[in-house]
Amino acid sequence: MTDSERPADYPVEWEADVVLRDGAVAHVRPMLPDDAEGVQRFHSLQSEESIYLRYFAPIKRLSERDVYRFTHVDYDERVALVATVRGEIIGIARFDRFPDRTVAEVAFNIADNFHGKGVGSVLLEHLAAIGREGGISRFVADVLPQNHKMMKVFADVGYEIKHHFDDGVISVSFQIEPTMRSRAVQQAREHRAEERSMNGVLTPASVAVVGVSRRPEAIGSMVLDNIIDGRYSGTVYVVNSEVDHVRGLKTHPRVSDIGAPVDMAVIAVPAAVVLDVVVDCANAGVKTLLVLSAGFAEAGPAGEFRQAELLRIARDSGMRVVGPNSLGLINNHPDVRLNATIANQSYTTGRVALFSQSGGLGIALLAAAAQRMLGLSVFVSAGNRVDVSGNDLMQYLIEHDHSQVVGLYLESLGNPRKFSRIARQVSLRKPVIAVKAHTSGQVPPGHRASRTRVPREAFGAILKQAGVIEAQNVHELMDVIELVSNQPLPRGSAVAVVGNSDGVNAIIVEALLRGGLTAPYPPFRVPNEETSTRVAEVMEQALDDEAVNSVVACFTPPMASSDEAIARAIAHSCARHDKTCVATFLGMRNVREVLRVAGAHAGPDGTPMVVPAYVTPLDGVTALAAVTQYAAWRDTERGDRVHPEGVDRIAAEAFVDRVLEDCLEGRALTAAESSDLLATHGIRLWPGIPVAGPQAAVDAAEELGYPVVIKSMSQIARNIPVASVRTDLHTPAGVREAYDSLVERLGGAAEAGLVVQKMATIGIATMIQSNEDPLFGPVVCFGLAGPSSELLGDLSYGIPPLSDDEVTAMITSLRAAPMLEGYRGAPPVDRAALCDLIARVSLLAEELPEIDSLVLNPVSVHASGVDVLGGAIHLAPASVRKDSGRRALT
């Protein structure tokens, strides 16, 4: 149905593609009047028992009146959703508001052949999110005692269910506001479903290659060669209408002519005929499409239409899609051995899982892994990422024991909030390293993602909160992967340096300190005339020291022993200790293979582990610093989600609704309105009175009570803060003199924009800001007010919801943080009060997506608390956030 055929009030934002418990894909959307026939067909296929449990009566056929009532809803008082697979309705859920608009009655009906697949849970999650957005706080339902399946749906959602038996039915009631338990339950269900779906993508029992040519250099031929030569464990089919056999395999004109189940179709045909192949695959019941063909959204408007149709056909048919414009995928598990890529080299089995959105960078990652002798477990190239994304792969990798290291090359993020919470689950089990291209906020051509307005540092914050190691480029990405693949995680930040060059050793120590590491001892210097025996002795001395957590070894020629002997001594020493070691051999040859052979020892999963050798010692130190920080994150308590007391969310939502009812496009709030909205979350904004003359300033001062300050709110004043404020004014004469001097200094009364405010306790001026981003949702930042943040960019970022530890880190991570901790004899500020204020701002931004921007500036922080001296808020109609509480494929 096109947009023009839908009802005018049709909420398209409620549509979503979801993964069910068995890994299949279903589509959730609002009910439409045109669903009448589908609803009647759905009802006719239900068993007598299911009909009775839903309607409390044996209704063989729905009346026209009932069908009309079911399919004609207003999406407010009455809301109905349907779940469909291949266009057929498999589930219906609805709610009807009571006169008390905060309460609604909810009902479900799930197709008999889809019971137990999580359809009811998905529909309930979506209904609850819609209800919350519409001001509903409680769902109620009447259920027959024998309807155990429906009672299980309610019991499994994670809400606190209340029920009682009355007049032959069970009356169920529950608050739909998310709880810690309901969020955990929902995310666990999502993980199980998406992990199972990705398992189907990565472990197909049969593969059909579409587009195999007589030319060996053709993409389809290259993929087929890799699949066969890689000894794929499943069944391979070849689709080619021009020849009878290719590489000894019988060919078929179309996938639908194969006559046997096909789990995956690899499509390598010209873009113009891809959709015909996709339709044929849908008719044949194919489960996954791996589309290598280019010429889609990255190629212009025609390609954009082709890509949208590809996704539509696939989703309507329940197929997953990798690509288009993909390099392919690899699963090196011994039970699968699938290399469905166009890369022209083989890869050893190992512990590294790689994900790349770029095909070209995917080839570079694979080549780098082979050069560094890193074994692969899984590789996925998402291409234009029309469906399968890095989030999907990480869901699969959370419990995938054969993958112990995860490397990600990201060009865009479709759902950063979902990325953060999934990445955190992976990072708690294994290292995740990511490099992000296109940090300017631009979306690469062809990618399904919203443009973001946040700076690169905000992306870094979301990675840091999730425990992901951020690499600055592909070289650094592979450096870190090589370290965590071959060495144990550091148990602390103390590093010993061993080498034969005083100059290089000094450079390494400086790099360690810049990276946040420590050097408890001067470098262990080995003179050039010493042999490999002495090198081994010094290495043992450093590794045996309990105060040392890691060792950096760096040697240059000439030495009394050969290059190979020096490398062998280092490898043998490191292999006997459970400490992190990195090495560099400047100007020395043939050492990498020596390290691999001489120092190899079994890791926790039996995989050989060796000392990584870096091109420069700074490469090794950079990787070591990043991994040490990650190890500390793993060993640190996560903290509790902030939930300050004295918050009135209902009052805040009502306030926002009133403003946007009067001004649909949104607007800036007045100072009084900002004060009222902030007060709903326990934030007190100090009043300020704008003045336009000396006497008006005196009148304002007497109204507020002495002492007062006069300050300028103009833009120019922000660049000269010391010259734009007069403090500690106790008399009318002082106020008049201050007013006149500021007007003269700032260029006139109109330009000055002066405000009189009660004198606050002298403190350090800081600022707290939140912006609603179309991709990231709310982004909170903190910094010292003035040049520190505005000119030098000394700001910290947090992505709500925040934990108390993350709020603290926002304060302590500033370069100017010592100013808040008692700089040069000043008393330290009240950090607890500052943390509480940041927490309240983050909660306000999290709960109200209508807050387009919020700025508290200045916030005076002192030893006895915080004073919010200035604030500005701009409201705008809320867009549906990514990861808003409704499960969806992104």
Side-chain angles (χ1 to χ4, degrees):
M1 176 175 288
T2 64
D3 291 346
S4 60
E5 295 172 322
R6 296 182 179 125
D9 56 352
Y10 179 82
V12 67
E13 67 273 12
W14 293 354
E15 292 190 1
D17 295 301
V18 299
V19 179
L20 303 181
R21 190 172 295 161
D22 62 353
V25 177
H27 184 63
V28 174
R29 62 168 173 80
M31 180 75 78
L32 286 162
D34 287 353
D35 285 321
E37 183 179 342
V39 169
Q40 197 69 268
R41 185 165 56 250
F42 169 85
H43 180 82
S44 67
L45 296 174
Q46 292 292 81
S47 66
E48 292 182 2
E49 179 186 18
S50 295
I51 293 172
Y52 181 79
L53 292 177
R54 168 62 182 89
Y55 297 104
F56 298 6
I59 304 173
K60 291 186 177 181
R61 179 176 173 81
L62 295 174
S63 68
E64 294 301 319
R65 178 181 177 182
D66 284 340
V67 172
Y68 184 90
R69 182 169 58 86
F70 292 157
T71 57
H72 288 70
V73 293
D74 61 7
Y75 309 117
D76 180 26
E77 297 288 336
R78 301 175 61 244
V79 169
L81 301 176
V82 296
T84 65
V85 170
R86 297 182 182 270
E88 290 297 315
I89 296 175
I90 63 166
I92 302 173
R94 61 188 305 110
F95 70 66
D96 292 84
R97 288 186 194 258
F98 284 4
D100 177 356
R101 289 178 53 83
T102 64
V103 182
E105 183 177 24
V106 64
F108 297 88
N109 200 0
I110 310 302
D112 288 344
N113 57 333
F114 276 85
H115 284 178
K117 295 187 178 182
V119 180
S121 297
V122 168
L123 288 173
L124 180 55
E125 289 174 12
H126 282 247
L127 270 187
I130 292 167
R132 289 194 298 271
E133 291 169 2
I136 295 173
S137 60
R138 184 163 58 96
F139 277 169
V140 299
D142 287 338
V143 182
L144 289 173
Q146 61 268 44
N147 195 348
H148 304 296
K149 293 177 181 177
M150 189 52 58
M151 289 300 297
K152 188 175 188 305
V153 169
F154 290 131
D156 287 348
V157 293
Y159 297 115
E160 184 177 344
I161 306 296
K162 297 179 180 179
H163 55 82
H164 66 277
F165 189 78
D166 183 26
D167 197 22
V169 299
I170 301 175
S171 295
V172 177
S173 173
F174 56 94
Q175 299 291 324
I176 60 174
E177 184 67 24
T179 63
M180 293 294 291
R181 181 171 178 268
S182 70
R183 289 190 184 96
V185 168
Q186 177 181 335
Q187 291 169 14
R189 283 197 303 259
E190 176 190 62
H191 162 63
R192 288 193 299 270
E194 295 184 1
E195 185 275 336
R196 185 167 296 179
S197 180
M198 280 303 296
N199 186 67
V201 171
L202 290 167
T203 60
S206 57
V207 174
V209 184
V210 185
V212 177
S213 170
R214 295 174 181 174
R215 296 179 294 107
E217 71 276 10
I219 291 178
S221 303
M222 295 169 63
V223 174
L224 180 63
D225 288 344
N226 281 338
I227 292 175
I228 294 175
D229 296 342
R231 297 178 294 111
Y232 170 54
S233 63
T235 304
V236 182
Y237 301 104
V238 179
V239 176
N240 185 307
S241 59
E242 298 178 357
V243 296
D244 294 332
H245 291 81
V246 173
R247 289 203 59 170
L249 297 174
K250 178 184 176 181
T251 64
H252 307 269
R254 297 179 303 175
V255 174
S256 57
D257 294 326
I258 292 173
V262 175
D263 287 342
M264 173 183 287
V266 181
I267 301 177
V269 299
V273 296
V274 166
L275 294 183
D276 293 335
V277 175
V278 172
V279 170
D280 183 59
C281 289
N283 294 334
V286 172
K287 298 177 182 177
T288 300
L289 303 176
L290 173 56
V291 185
L292 308 184
S293 309
F296 287 81
E298 83 284 356
E304 289 179 2
F305 174 80
R306 189 179 294 124
Q307 182 164 301
E309 281 296 288
L310 165 63
L311 180 62
R312 183 189 65 79
I313 297 169
R315 289 285 169 82
D316 287 347
S317 305
M319 295 185 290
R320 300 303 307 267
V321 182
V322 180
N325 199 20
S326 168
L327 170 67
L329 62 82
I330 296 171
N331 187 349
N332 271 337
H333 192 282
D335 295 339
V336 183
R337 300 194 307 275
L338 175 62
N339 180 357
T341 71
I342 60 175
N344 58 359
Q345 61 188 96
S346 58
Y347 308 97
T348 59
T349 300
R351 55 202 286 141
V352 179
L354 292 175
F355 173 85
S356 175
Q357 288 177 301
S358 164
L361 266 296
I363 291 177
L365 290 176
L366 292 175
Q371 180 184 13
R372 298 178 188 235
M373 293 177 280
L374 297 172
L376 294 181
S377 57
V378 171
F379 168 80
V380 174
S381 166
N384 290 3
R385 194 177 53 77
V386 72
D387 176 20
V388 170
S389 68
N391 289 350
D392 294 296
L393 180 61
M394 286 195 296
Q395 291 278 36
Y396 173 80
L397 295 174
I398 288 176
E399 297 171 1
H400 188 246
D401 294 337
H402 291 272
S403 300
Q404 290 301 314
V405 180
V406 182
L408 308 171
Y409 178 81
L410 306 171
E411 290 187 320
S412 64
L413 286 176
N415 190 337
R417 291 159 68 87
K418 184 175 181 179
F419 171 89
S420 178
R421 60 181 173 80
I422 298 174
R424 182 186 299 245
Q425 294 303 310
V426 184
S427 298
L428 288 169
R429 295 166 170 82
K430 61 197 74 173
V432 179
I433 309 96
V435 59
K436 172 72 165 62
H438 298 280
T439 54
S440 63
Q442 297 288 340
V443 178
H447 286 226
R448 295 175 64 231
S450 301
R451 183 173 179 176
T452 178
R453 300 190 298 260
V454 303
R456 179 191 178 93
E457 290 78 9
F459 176 74
I462 207 169
L463 294 184
K464 190 172 183 179
Q465 287 177 219
V468 176
I469 301 171
E470 182 180 11
Q472 300 305 310
N473 49 57
V474 171
H475 178 76
E476 188 176 312
L477 172 76
M478 298 308 297
D479 281 347
V480 177
I481 289 176
E482 185 171 8
L483 177 55
V484 294
S485 299
N486 287 296
Q487 291 290 296
L489 294 178
R491 296 190 181 92
S493 61
V495 183
V497 178
V498 179
N500 66 329
S501 168
D502 287 334
V504 174
N505 289 347
I507 291 173
I508 294 174
V509 171
E510 287 297 320
L512 291 173
L513 299 179
R514 286 197 305 271
L517 303 173
T518 61
Y521 306 112
F524 292 77
R525 185 178 183 278
V526 182
N528 287 20
E529 60 270 17
E530 295 286 358
T531 66
S532 59
T533 301
R534 180 57 182 161
V535 171
E537 291 173 351
V538 175
M539 285 293 296
E540 292 288 342
Q541 180 184 355
L543 289 163
D544 284 337
D545 196 313
E546 293 184 358
V548 171
N549 306 118
S550 305
V551 173
V552 175
C554 181
F555 285 86
T556 65
M559 291 287 289
S561 296
S562 68
D563 297 352
E564 292 85 350
I566 299 297
R568 190 175 296 110
I570 292 173
H572 284 159
S573 297
C574 294
R576 289 194 291 268
H577 295 79
D578 188 25
K579 291 187 178 181
T580 313
C581 299
V582 299
T584 299
F585 300 90
L586 296 172
M588 303 175 80
R589 299 171 296 172
N590 304 322
V591 295
R592 184 179 285 273
E593 187 59 31
V594 171
L595 289 173
R596 178 162 294 278
V597 174
H601 61 289
D605 60 352
T607 304
M609 299 177 70
V610 299
V611 178
Y614 292 98
V615 176
T616 73
L618 299 185
D619 289 340
V621 170
T622 299
L624 180 61
V627 174
T628 301
Q629 187 177 33
Y630 163 70
W633 178 88
R634 281 233 326 217
D635 291 339
T636 303
E637 293 292 331
R638 301 279 78 83
D640 298 321
R641 189 169 179 173
V642 295
H643 200 283
E645 297 179 353
V647 170
D648 191 341
R649 176 178 176 177
I650 294 176
E653 291 175 342
F655 178 93
V656 168
D657 290 343
R658 287 195 301 272
V659 172
L660 294 181
E661 282 177 5
D662 294 335
C663 186
L664 297 180
E665 69 276 11
R667 63 173 175 83
L669 299 185
T670 65
E673 289 173 330
S674 295
S675 180
D676 290 343
L677 181 54
L678 292 170
T680 65
H681 279 59
I683 301 171
R684 178 177 178 264
L685 178 61
W686 280 53
I689 301 177
V691 293
Q695 187 56 46
V698 172
D699 294 341
E702 292 179 348
E703 177 182 342
L704 294 170
Y706 291 102
V708 297
V709 302
I710 301 180
K711 63 182 181 180
S712 173
M713 301 300 290
S714 69
Q715 181 64 34
I716 191 173
R718 297 176 61 183
N719 301 322
I720 47 173
V722 175
S724 61
V725 61
R726 294 288 300 274
T727 64
D728 213 18
L729 305 174
H730 290 262
T731 65
V735 169
R736 288 190 179 92
E737 187 277 329
Y739 181 92
D740 290 337
S741 66
L742 286 174
V743 167
E744 180 180 358
R745 185 176 300 163
L746 298 174
E751 291 78 8
L754 298 182
V755 171
V756 176
Q757 198 169 44
K758 180 76 174 175
M759 179 73 182
T761 303
I762 299 297
I764 298 172
T766 64
M767 59 82 63
I768 303 170
Q769 182 173 329
S770 175
N771 290 285
E772 183 75 16
D773 185 75
L775 183 62
F776 282 74
V779 179
V780 176
C781 74
F782 170 73
L784 269 62
S788 175
S789 58
E790 296 176 8
L791 182 62
L792 302 179
D794 188 16
L795 294 164
S796 61
Y797 293 86
I799 313 296
L802 298 174
S803 71
D804 47 10
D805 288 343
E806 289 164 347
V807 170
T808 300
M810 288 184 66
I811 299 171
T812 59
S813 63
L814 292 178
R815 295 192 298 275
M819 293 286 293
L820 304 171
E821 297 167 1
Y823 183 66
R824 290 187 174 179
V829 304
D830 187 343
R831 185 191 290 180
L834 181 57
C835 286
D836 179 72
L837 179 59
I838 296 174
R840 291 178 186 278
V841 170
S842 73
L843 187 62
L844 183 62
E846 171 79 1
E847 292 180 342
L848 296 174
E850 296 87 355
I851 296 180
D852 187 58
S853 66
L854 180 156
V855 180
L856 304 184
N857 186 11
V859 175
S860 179
V861 190
H862 45 82
S864 56
V866 296
D867 299 321
V868 182
L869 304 180
I873 299 174
H874 188 279
L875 300 184
S879 58
V880 176
R881 285 175 175 167
K882 302 288 185 181
D883 206 34
S884 61
R886 291 191 282 266
R887 250 191 286 175
L889 278 173
T890 49

